């Protein structure tokens, strides 16, 4: 049954008094909680009936070895081997963050990790009763840019554990042609990018940092060898240069209509400049990113410069026309 924060505060105070052999009873607890309510500004004030319900809850739900000493007129513990394991108590904002985080996790993490996150939040909900759940329909909170590429759950879990514990991982990796190579990598990062999972890692085979798409890993084995997280590799993960494609510098576009909004909401570079006449200056961008973007805009984006890149794009368009 979800527990209010005020009730959990009372149970924690009662447990502490029992541990200290203070022999609390309903009258002394009413006075104590009234004092705490004033001095500590906690919503903990209550009456005798509430105290008796709390005592019953400690016995039934938390297996408290509770007894009443008539001579001392108070409760005590029949043995001190009992520990009060208090569920986590979160405020509304903390619970909202946890619930939203679980919804996102369900979309972008493969099993079993998403299940663990979901179970953890469900446990928190068992012991917390946030008001926002009375009106919010969390099923209507949708994350459409989810995990599209299928990833073997065991492979993801192995890479996740290697990243989490700083242990090397032996992988069988398939390139874009399907050719397999065996490598030992240090997974310094895990990155959810463009609806897929990647790891920017140090590759022992190539002796340099490489970016690996987790969907291309066919086998993964956690090794005993560990590594120190590389700050330079971690900080190199950014939207401008994540996949490591060769960049073309000083690119200029002319965009119109909805393409301008598209470039404002999803820039091709964090320092791009959009002018009033629709020209867009991009400090650096890879052809692998730029060309698909221009094609997707159905003539609303024109490549102006550099001239060599413009000629290369035009040649690609002509070849496509010949194929059709």
């Amino acid at each position: 049954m979800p527990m209010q924060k005020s009730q959990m505060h009372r149970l924690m105070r009662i447990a502490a008094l029992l541990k200290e052999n203070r022999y609390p009873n309903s009258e002394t607890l009413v006075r104590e909680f009234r004092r705490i309510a004033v001095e500590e500004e906690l919503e903990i004030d209550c009456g005798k009936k509430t105290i008796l319900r709390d005592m019953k809850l400690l016995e039934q739900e938390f297996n408290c070895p509770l007894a009443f000493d008539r001579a001392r007129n108070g409760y005590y513990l029949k043995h001190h081997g009992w520990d009060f394991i208090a569920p986590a108590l979160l405020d509304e904002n903390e619970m909202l963050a946890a619930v939203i985080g679980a919804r996102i996790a369900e979309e972008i993490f493969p099993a079993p990790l998403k299940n663990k996150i979901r179970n953890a939040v469900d446990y928190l909900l068992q012991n917390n009763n946030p008001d926002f759940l009375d009106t919010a329909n969390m099923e209507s909170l949708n994350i459409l840019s989810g995990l599209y590429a299928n990833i073997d759950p065991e492979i993801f879990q192995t890479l996740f554990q290697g990243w989490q514990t700083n242990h090397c991982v032996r992988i069988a990796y398939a390139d874009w042609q399907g050719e397999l190579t065996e490598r030992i990598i240090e997974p310094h990062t895990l990155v959810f990018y463009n609806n897929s999972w990647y790891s920017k890692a140090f590759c022992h085979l190539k002796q340099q940092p490489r970016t690996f798409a987790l969907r291309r890993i066919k086998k993964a084995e956690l090794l005993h060898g560990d590594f120190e997280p590389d700050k330079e590799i971690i900080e190199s993960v950014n939207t401008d240069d994540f996949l490591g494609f060769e960049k073309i510098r000083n690119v200029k576009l002319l965009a119109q209509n909805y393409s301008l909004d598209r470039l404002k909401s999803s820039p091709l570079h964090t320092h791009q400049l959009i002018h009033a006449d629709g020209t867009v200056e991009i400090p650096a961008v890879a052809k692998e990113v730029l060309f698909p973007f221009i094609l997707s805009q159905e003539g609303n984006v024109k490549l102006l410069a550099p001239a060599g890149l413009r000629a290369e794009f035009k040649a690609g368009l002509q070849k496509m026309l010949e194929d059709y």
Side-chain angles (χ1 to χ4, degrees):
M1 177 180 179
M3 193 173 299
Q4 297 294 336
K5 182 171 286 191
S6 57
Q7 184 180 31
M8 183 54 67
H9 278 304
R10 292 197 306 271
L11 295 179
M12 292 170 64
R13 299 285 179 152
I14 294 171
L17 292 172
L18 291 169
K19 284 280 189 178
E20 295 170 8
N21 295 317
R22 300 275 293 275
Y23 292 90
N25 61 37
S26 57
E27 291 184 3
T28 61
L29 286 170
V30 165
R31 292 196 298 270
E32 177 69 6
F33 292 155
R34 191 170 297 150
R35 180 192 65 79
I36 293 172
V38 173
E39 295 180 3
E40 301 183 26
E41 297 183 351
L42 289 176
E43 294 182 6
I44 200 172
D45 199 1
C46 66
K48 290 183 180 180
K49 289 184 178 180
T50 301
I51 298 293
L52 294 175
R53 284 197 296 269
D54 288 345
M55 291 296 188
K56 187 175 181 180
L57 184 66
L58 279 174
E59 278 191 293
Q60 295 180 349
E61 298 294 330
F62 295 94
N63 300 315
C64 178
L66 196 63
F68 190 83
D69 188 322
R70 293 190 179 278
R72 294 177 179 265
N73 192 30
Y75 292 93
Y76 69 97
L77 296 177
K78 288 183 282 189
H79 62 81
H80 279 71
W82 174 76
D83 288 317
F84 178 57
I85 308 300
L89 282 176
L90 305 179
D91 62 25
E92 287 281 310
N93 290 331
E94 291 167 334
M95 279 306 306
L96 180 61
V99 172
I100 291 176
R103 290 288 295 121
I104 295 173
E106 288 173 352
E107 297 298 327
I108 70 172
F109 283 105
L113 186 58
K114 69 176 182 180
N115 300 330
K116 293 180 179 179
I117 296 172
R118 179 72 262 174
N119 291 339
V121 173
D122 287 345
Y123 175 77
L124 291 176
L125 288 172
Q126 289 175 9
N127 298 287
N128 294 266
N129 189 23
D131 291 337
F132 70 83
L133 289 180
D134 293 339
T135 56
N137 178 12
M138 299 311 295
E139 289 301 318
S140 65
L141 177 65
N142 296 311
I143 298 91
L144 296 180
S145 58
L147 183 61
Y148 296 151
N150 290 326
I151 301 175
D152 185 296
E154 292 186 8
I155 289 175
F156 185 90
Q157 186 64 25
T158 301
L159 266 293
F160 185 87
Q161 190 173 352
W163 163 79
Q164 185 180 31
T165 62
N166 300 328
H167 278 81
C168 296
V169 179
R170 179 183 287 113
I171 64 172
Y173 192 73
D175 63 17
W176 65 275
Q177 295 177 315
E179 184 177 344
L180 280 175
T181 56
E182 186 175 285
R183 306 162 183 252
I184 294 177
I185 65 170
E186 302 170 3
H188 291 271
T189 72
L190 275 179
V191 184
F192 187 72
Y193 175 75
N194 208 16
N195 299 326
S196 293
W197 279 101
Y198 298 85
S199 175
K200 192 158 190 180
F202 184 83
C203 177
H204 288 201
L205 179 65
K206 300 296 183 179
Q207 284 297 299
Q208 60 180 297
R210 288 293 179 93
T211 299
F212 297 94
L214 268 60
R215 68 180 183 276
R216 290 184 177 174
I217 298 177
K218 305 305 178 184
K219 292 181 181 179
E221 175 191 356
L222 192 68
L223 302 179
H224 293 296
D226 56 6
F227 62 87
E228 286 292 326
D230 189 313
K231 185 177 180 181
E232 186 174 342
I233 293 177
I234 294 170
E235 291 180 349
S236 71
V237 175
N238 58 73
T239 55
D240 293 335
D241 193 29
F242 173 58
L243 294 179
F245 294 130
E246 183 181 353
K247 301 295 186 297
I248 307 299
R249 301 198 174 277
N250 301 319
V251 173
K252 184 178 288 188
L253 306 175
L254 179 62
Q256 58 185 350
N257 301 331
Y258 62 81
S259 295
L260 279 173
D261 286 334
R262 167 69 172 76
L263 285 166
K264 290 174 183 177
S265 61
S266 301
L268 295 178
H269 193 281
T270 52
H271 294 109
Q272 71 180 20
L273 294 176
I274 299 179
H275 299 281
D277 62 355
T279 57
V280 183
E281 296 181 36
I282 304 171
V285 64
K287 291 185 294 184
E288 291 84 353
V289 173
L290 179 64
F291 286 1
F293 167 73
I294 296 175
L295 289 170
S296 71
Q297 298 308 299
E298 301 177 337
N300 287 296
V301 174
K302 183 177 181 181
L303 177 57
L304 301 179
L309 186 64
R310 177 182 167 89
E312 183 178 347
F313 183 67
K314 184 177 180 180
L317 290 176
Q318 289 174 337
K319 184 178 185 306
M320 291 174 63
L321 288 172
E322 291 171 4
D323 292 338
Y324 286 92

